Amino acid sequence: AVWLGIEYSKALAILSVLEAQGLCEMKLLIYHNCEPEVPVGAIPYGKGFPNLPWTCPNCEESVDNYDELSFDLMAEFKQQIEFV
């Protein structure tokens, strides 16, 4: 979205519509403080946040507070799409 100059909220709305149409599958990426630049987990978008306590698969630390985590979204497209 940043490369295209689209606001995050608008990009999320577009991706939600594409997922509803079956064109992509969205995931909630999970980041932990042990390696904040690399996602350490992913769950299907729409399932909510991971249940606490949550065990980080990277460092095996038990996470009891969402303050130790951050999140982002990823969309995997099932077929090539073109925006015109």
Side-chain angles (χ1 to χ4, degrees):
V2 173
W3 294 340
L4 299 173
I6 300 172
E7 293 177 24
Y8 188 84
S9 60
K10 290 181 181 176
L12 178 57
I14 292 168
L15 292 172
S16 295
V17 169
L18 293 173
E19 182 180 46
Q21 296 295 316
L23 298 173
C24 71
E25 180 179 311
M26 291 180 55
K27 297 194 184 254
L28 180 69
L29 298 178
I30 305 167
Y31 295 82
H32 183 234
N33 291 343
C34 70
E35 200 158 346
E37 300 298 319
V38 179
V40 293
I43 57 176
Y45 179 72
K47 284 196 143 190
F49 294 101
N51 294 325
L52 297 179
W54 181 78
T55 302
C56 175
N58 188 49
C59 68
E60 299 182 359
E61 180 182 322
S62 180
V63 176
D64 297 316
N65 189 322
Y66 287 117
D67 291 340
E68 298 178 44
L69 303 174
S70 58
F71 305 93
D72 202 358
L73 297 174
M74 175 181 74
E76 294 180 322
F77 288 86
K78 298 177 181 180
Q79 57 189 9
Q80 186 174 356
I81 63 168
E82 181 179 346
F83 292 98
V84 274

